[in-house]
Amino acid sequence: MRIVIKIGTSTLAHATGRLNIQRMERLCKVLSDLKNAGHEIILVSSGAIGMGVGKLNLPGRPADMPGKQAAAAVGQCELMYFYDKLFTEYNHIVAQLLLTGEDIRSEQRSRNVRNTLSRLLELGALPVINENDAVATDEIGVENTIGENDSLSAIVAAAIGADLLILLSDIDGLYDSDPRQNPDAHLIETVPVIDAHILSLAGDKGSALATGGMVTKLHAAQIATAAGCEMVIANGEKPEVLYDIVDGKRAGTRFLIPHS
Ligand code: GLU
């Protein structure tokens, strides 16, 4: 299978912004193993800004744009240094792709991205993608920005004809009501169709349920499933969950491809 896996900052870093070494080691081990089993893996990794904050010992996430850009420039290096080091241990080669909104929206540039990704997969490399946060900002123009990696990973999955998109986050999946307010909330295991009811479960921006970024995750599910790619939202706390997801076993919330 061709699988795109998106990892959120909360999965990769501690609250301090410093790398969660144990988590990252387990993740790279599982991904290497899935690659050894014959799957094609593409990673969409967040964490550049968060890791930059940690490495530069900043008191918190910078509020100003140049501060965020500088943190991303530092953190992206740190991120790739660790991916390279850990995947090399398992004999896999990583490749970095930093994209902006233009690379997605311009037909020619998105074709270039697709060609590069296809060739990297042919060569057996493991592409690691992030938004180019050091240049892609609202200051340069909203058009230039993708903004978050849930959508970016779905756009990538659709563009390269992936079979499966997995969003690893700090939430277990989509619930039928807010699990932080309702102890009886149930995890929805399968979503056959993303209808108005499902969309309403993401809650409004700012509600407790939306803090996990469920709005952007459902948006990603719409893009992916419309392109014929199943999507799973799962908790990245235990990266071994990826084995079950790839085997089609129950884990998190799985969004199916709608029947036409
Ligand atoms: N590109 C951002 C970063 O690496 C993260 C965006 C997101 O998490 O959606 O810090």
PDB file of all heavy atoms in Angstrom, residues 10 28 30 49 66 82 85 96 103 109 117 120 123 132 138 146 154 162-163 210 234 242 252:
ATOM      1  N   SER A  10       2.187  17.520  18.886  1.00  0.00           N
ATOM      2  CA  SER A  10       1.957  16.969  20.230  1.00  0.00           C
ATOM      3  C   SER A  10       2.414  15.515  20.332  1.00  0.00           C
ATOM      4  O   SER A  10       2.682  15.019  21.421  1.00  0.00           O
ATOM      5  CB  SER A  10       0.475  17.075  20.588  1.00  0.00           C
ATOM      6  OG  SER A  10      -0.291  16.411  19.607  1.00  0.00           O
ATOM      7  N   CYS A  28       9.741   5.792  14.329  1.00  0.00           N
ATOM      8  CA  CYS A  28      10.641   5.515  13.204  1.00  0.00           C
ATOM      9  C   CYS A  28      10.863   4.015  13.052  1.00  0.00           C
ATOM     10  O   CYS A  28      11.014   3.516  11.936  1.00  0.00           O
ATOM     11  CB  CYS A  28      11.967   6.248  13.383  1.00  0.00           C
ATOM     12  SG  CYS A  28      11.769   8.037  13.237  1.00  0.00           S
ATOM     13  N   VAL A  30       8.601   1.600  13.779  1.00  0.00           N
ATOM     14  CA  VAL A  30       7.395   1.028  13.164  1.00  0.00           C
ATOM     15  C   VAL A  30       7.329   1.392  11.681  1.00  0.00           C
ATOM     16  O   VAL A  30       7.045   0.542  10.829  1.00  0.00           O
ATOM     17  CB  VAL A  30       6.113   1.523  13.890  1.00  0.00           C
ATOM     18  CG1 VAL A  30       4.868   1.048  13.172  1.00  0.00           C
ATOM     19  CG2 VAL A  30       6.098   1.059  15.335  1.00  0.00           C
ATOM     20  N   ILE A  49       8.136  24.420  14.247  1.00  0.00           N
ATOM     21  CA  ILE A  49       8.085  25.596  15.131  1.00  0.00           C
ATOM     22  C   ILE A  49       8.284  25.162  16.590  1.00  0.00           C
ATOM     23  O   ILE A  49       9.100  25.720  17.318  1.00  0.00           O
ATOM     24  CB  ILE A  49       6.765  26.371  14.931  1.00  0.00           C
ATOM     25  CG1 ILE A  49       6.677  26.886  13.485  1.00  0.00           C
ATOM     26  CG2 ILE A  49       6.654  27.532  15.922  1.00  0.00           C
ATOM     27  CD1 ILE A  49       5.362  27.541  13.098  1.00  0.00           C
ATOM     28  N   PRO A  66       8.178  36.912  12.121  1.00  0.00           N
ATOM     29  CA  PRO A  66       9.607  36.567  11.982  1.00  0.00           C
ATOM     30  C   PRO A  66      10.065  35.601  13.073  1.00  0.00           C
ATOM     31  O   PRO A  66      10.916  34.742  12.831  1.00  0.00           O
ATOM     32  CB  PRO A  66      10.313  37.925  12.114  1.00  0.00           C
ATOM     33  CG  PRO A  66       9.278  38.931  11.750  1.00  0.00           C
ATOM     34  CD  PRO A  66       7.969  38.375  12.220  1.00  0.00           C
ATOM     35  N   PHE A  82      16.984  14.301  13.368  1.00  0.00           N
ATOM     36  CA  PHE A  82      16.541  13.103  14.089  1.00  0.00           C
ATOM     37  C   PHE A  82      15.949  12.055  13.159  1.00  0.00           C
ATOM     38  O   PHE A  82      16.204  10.868  13.315  1.00  0.00           O
ATOM     39  CB  PHE A  82      15.561  13.475  15.217  1.00  0.00           C
ATOM     40  CG  PHE A  82      16.283  13.885  16.458  1.00  0.00           C
ATOM     41  CD1 PHE A  82      16.420  15.220  16.788  1.00  0.00           C
ATOM     42  CD2 PHE A  82      16.878  12.934  17.277  1.00  0.00           C
ATOM     43  CE1 PHE A  82      17.125  15.606  17.919  1.00  0.00           C
ATOM     44  CE2 PHE A  82      17.579  13.304  18.405  1.00  0.00           C
ATOM     45  CZ  PHE A  82      17.701  14.649  18.732  1.00  0.00           C
ATOM     46  N   LYS A  85      18.846  10.398  11.380  1.00  0.00           N
ATOM     47  CA  LYS A  85      19.597   9.545  12.310  1.00  0.00           C
ATOM     48  C   LYS A  85      18.826   8.258  12.606  1.00  0.00           C
ATOM     49  O   LYS A  85      19.376   7.160  12.537  1.00  0.00           O
ATOM     50  CB  LYS A  85      19.803  10.363  13.579  1.00  0.00           C
ATOM     51  CG  LYS A  85      20.580   9.700  14.696  1.00  0.00           C
ATOM     52  CD  LYS A  85      20.772  10.762  15.781  1.00  0.00           C
ATOM     53  CE  LYS A  85      20.483  10.210  17.153  1.00  0.00           C
ATOM     54  NZ  LYS A  85      21.646   9.774  17.873  1.00  0.00           N
ATOM     55  N   GLN A  96      13.755  15.364   2.275  1.00  0.00           N
ATOM     56  CA  GLN A  96      12.923  16.452   2.800  1.00  0.00           C
ATOM     57  C   GLN A  96      12.245  17.239   1.687  1.00  0.00           C
ATOM     58  O   GLN A  96      12.895  17.631   0.722  1.00  0.00           O
ATOM     59  CB  GLN A  96      13.802  17.391   3.622  1.00  0.00           C
ATOM     60  CG  GLN A  96      13.068  18.638   4.075  1.00  0.00           C
ATOM     61  CD  GLN A  96      13.971  19.612   4.805  1.00  0.00           C
ATOM     62  OE1 GLN A  96      13.885  19.786   5.997  1.00  0.00           O
ATOM     63  NE2 GLN A  96      14.848  20.269   4.061  1.00  0.00           N
ATOM     64  N   ASP A 103       2.972  25.714  -4.277  1.00  0.00           N
ATOM     65  CA  ASP A 103       3.403  24.416  -4.810  1.00  0.00           C
ATOM     66  C   ASP A 103       2.217  23.472  -4.988  1.00  0.00           C
ATOM     67  O   ASP A 103       2.296  22.481  -5.703  1.00  0.00           O
ATOM     68  CB  ASP A 103       4.435  23.765  -3.876  1.00  0.00           C
ATOM     69  CG  ASP A 103       5.643  24.646  -3.681  1.00  0.00           C
ATOM     70  OD1 ASP A 103       6.095  25.242  -4.666  1.00  0.00           O
ATOM     71  OD2 ASP A 103       6.124  24.740  -2.533  1.00  0.00           O
ATOM     72  N   ARG A 109       3.844  23.532 -10.669  1.00  0.00           N
ATOM     73  CA  ARG A 109       4.622  23.224  -9.473  1.00  0.00           C
ATOM     74  C   ARG A 109       4.086  21.975  -8.790  1.00  0.00           C
ATOM     75  O   ARG A 109       4.851  21.168  -8.271  1.00  0.00           O
ATOM     76  CB  ARG A 109       4.615  24.423  -8.527  1.00  0.00           C
ATOM     77  CG  ARG A 109       5.401  25.564  -9.135  1.00  0.00           C
ATOM     78  CD  ARG A 109       5.311  26.800  -8.292  1.00  0.00           C
ATOM     79  NE  ARG A 109       6.083  26.687  -7.060  1.00  0.00           N
ATOM     80  CZ  ARG A 109       6.791  27.670  -6.555  1.00  0.00           C
ATOM     81  NH1 ARG A 109       6.822  28.832  -7.166  1.00  0.00           N
ATOM     82  NH2 ARG A 109       7.448  27.510  -5.435  1.00  0.00           N
ATOM     83  N   LEU A 117       8.046  13.209  -5.795  1.00  0.00           N
ATOM     84  CA  LEU A 117       7.607  12.196  -4.825  1.00  0.00           C
ATOM     85  C   LEU A 117       7.614  10.801  -5.444  1.00  0.00           C
ATOM     86  O   LEU A 117       8.079   9.840  -4.824  1.00  0.00           O
ATOM     87  CB  LEU A 117       6.193  12.527  -4.318  1.00  0.00           C
ATOM     88  CG  LEU A 117       6.112  13.542  -3.181  1.00  0.00           C
ATOM     89  CD1 LEU A 117       4.663  13.912  -2.908  1.00  0.00           C
ATOM     90  CD2 LEU A 117       6.758  12.982  -1.917  1.00  0.00           C
ATOM     91  N   LEU A 120      11.142   9.592  -5.766  1.00  0.00           N
ATOM     92  CA  LEU A 120      11.704   9.228  -4.454  1.00  0.00           C
ATOM     93  C   LEU A 120      11.187   7.858  -4.003  1.00  0.00           C
ATOM     94  O   LEU A 120      11.947   7.042  -3.475  1.00  0.00           O
ATOM     95  CB  LEU A 120      11.344  10.291  -3.403  1.00  0.00           C
ATOM     96  CG  LEU A 120      12.136  11.598  -3.482  1.00  0.00           C
ATOM     97  CD1 LEU A 120      11.508  12.671  -2.613  1.00  0.00           C
ATOM     98  CD2 LEU A 120      13.597  11.366  -3.072  1.00  0.00           C
ATOM     99  N   LEU A 123      12.836   5.170  -5.846  1.00  0.00           N
ATOM    100  CA  LEU A 123      14.205   4.984  -5.367  1.00  0.00           C
ATOM    101  C   LEU A 123      14.235   4.349  -3.968  1.00  0.00           C
ATOM    102  O   LEU A 123      15.300   4.114  -3.415  1.00  0.00           O
ATOM    103  CB  LEU A 123      14.933   6.338  -5.335  1.00  0.00           C
ATOM    104  CG  LEU A 123      15.219   6.970  -6.706  1.00  0.00           C
ATOM    105  CD1 LEU A 123      15.677   8.416  -6.554  1.00  0.00           C
ATOM    106  CD2 LEU A 123      16.289   6.167  -7.437  1.00  0.00           C
ATOM    107  N   ASN A 132       6.662  24.860   4.297  1.00  0.00           N
ATOM    108  CA  ASN A 132       7.882  25.655   4.421  1.00  0.00           C
ATOM    109  C   ASN A 132       7.579  26.884   5.275  1.00  0.00           C
ATOM    110  O   ASN A 132       7.391  27.987   4.770  1.00  0.00           O
ATOM    111  CB  ASN A 132       8.390  26.044   3.034  1.00  0.00           C
ATOM    112  CG  ASN A 132       9.794  26.613   3.084  1.00  0.00           C
ATOM    113  OD1 ASN A 132      10.291  26.940   4.163  1.00  0.00           O
ATOM    114  ND2 ASN A 132      10.431  26.722   1.943  1.00  0.00           N
ATOM    115  N   ASP A 138       1.316  34.378   6.143  1.00  0.00           N
ATOM    116  CA  ASP A 138       0.263  35.299   5.731  1.00  0.00           C
ATOM    117  C   ASP A 138       0.848  36.637   5.277  1.00  0.00           C
ATOM    118  O   ASP A 138       0.253  37.355   4.497  1.00  0.00           O
ATOM    119  CB  ASP A 138      -0.714  35.553   6.884  1.00  0.00           C
ATOM    120  CG  ASP A 138      -1.485  34.288   7.197  1.00  0.00           C
ATOM    121  OD1 ASP A 138      -1.278  33.302   6.469  1.00  0.00           O
ATOM    122  OD2 ASP A 138      -2.262  34.289   8.149  1.00  0.00           O
ATOM    123  N   ILE A 146      -0.651  27.191   3.295  1.00  0.00           N
ATOM    124  CA  ILE A 146      -1.577  26.071   3.449  1.00  0.00           C
ATOM    125  C   ILE A 146      -2.151  26.147   4.863  1.00  0.00           C
ATOM    126  O   ILE A 146      -3.336  25.995   5.073  1.00  0.00           O
ATOM    127  CB  ILE A 146      -0.853  24.721   3.220  1.00  0.00           C
ATOM    128  CG1 ILE A 146      -0.184  24.714   1.849  1.00  0.00           C
ATOM    129  CG2 ILE A 146      -1.853  23.554   3.325  1.00  0.00           C
ATOM    130  CD1 ILE A 146       0.929  23.706   1.708  1.00  0.00           C
ATOM    131  N   ALA A 154      -3.637  15.548   3.306  1.00  0.00           N
ATOM    132  CA  ALA A 154      -4.724  15.036   2.453  1.00  0.00           C
ATOM    133  C   ALA A 154      -4.483  15.425   1.000  1.00  0.00           C
ATOM    134  O   ALA A 154      -4.726  14.629   0.081  1.00  0.00           O
ATOM    135  CB  ALA A 154      -6.071  15.578   2.936  1.00  0.00           C
ATOM    136  N   ALA A 162      -2.548   7.905  -2.957  1.00  0.00           N
ATOM    137  CA  ALA A 162      -2.299   7.027  -1.805  1.00  0.00           C
ATOM    138  C   ALA A 162      -3.517   6.148  -1.530  1.00  0.00           C
ATOM    139  O   ALA A 162      -4.652   6.505  -1.873  1.00  0.00           O
ATOM    140  CB  ALA A 162      -1.972   7.869  -0.570  1.00  0.00           C
ATOM    141  N   ASP A 163      -3.286   4.987  -0.928  1.00  0.00           N
ATOM    142  CA  ASP A 163      -4.380   4.087  -0.557  1.00  0.00           C
ATOM    143  C   ASP A 163      -4.931   4.437   0.813  1.00  0.00           C
ATOM    144  O   ASP A 163      -6.083   4.154   1.132  1.00  0.00           O
ATOM    145  CB  ASP A 163      -3.868   2.632  -0.500  1.00  0.00           C
ATOM    146  CG  ASP A 163      -3.243   2.220  -1.811  1.00  0.00           C
ATOM    147  OD1 ASP A 163      -3.985   2.120  -2.793  1.00  0.00           O
ATOM    148  OD2 ASP A 163      -2.004   2.036  -1.861  1.00  0.00           O
ATOM    149  N   ALA A 210     -13.039  21.012  19.461  1.00  0.00           N
ATOM    150  CA  ALA A 210     -12.310  21.484  18.276  1.00  0.00           C
ATOM    151  C   ALA A 210     -10.838  21.748  18.566  1.00  0.00           C
ATOM    152  O   ALA A 210     -10.063  21.948  17.654  1.00  0.00           O
ATOM    153  CB  ALA A 210     -12.956  22.747  17.729  1.00  0.00           C
ATOM    154  N   ALA A 234      -6.059   8.565  14.532  1.00  0.00           N
ATOM    155  CA  ALA A 234      -5.750   7.728  15.685  1.00  0.00           C
ATOM    156  C   ALA A 234      -4.789   8.449  16.618  1.00  0.00           C
ATOM    157  O   ALA A 234      -4.177   9.459  16.245  1.00  0.00           O
ATOM    158  CB  ALA A 234      -5.139   6.407  15.228  1.00  0.00           C
ATOM    159  N   LEU A 242      -0.078   1.795  14.375  1.00  0.00           N
ATOM    160  CA  LEU A 242      -0.002   1.831  12.906  1.00  0.00           C
ATOM    161  C   LEU A 242      -0.104   0.429  12.301  1.00  0.00           C
ATOM    162  O   LEU A 242      -0.662   0.255  11.220  1.00  0.00           O
ATOM    163  CB  LEU A 242       1.312   2.486  12.458  1.00  0.00           C
ATOM    164  CG  LEU A 242       1.409   4.002  12.663  1.00  0.00           C
ATOM    165  CD1 LEU A 242       2.832   4.496  12.445  1.00  0.00           C
ATOM    166  CD2 LEU A 242       0.452   4.730  11.718  1.00  0.00           C
ATOM    167  N   GLY A 252      -8.893   3.835  16.266  1.00  0.00           N
ATOM    168  CA  GLY A 252      -9.285   5.200  15.950  1.00  0.00           C
ATOM    169  C   GLY A 252     -10.574   5.251  15.141  1.00  0.00           C
ATOM    170  O   GLY A 252     -11.450   4.398  15.262  1.00  0.00           O
TER     171      GLY A 252
END
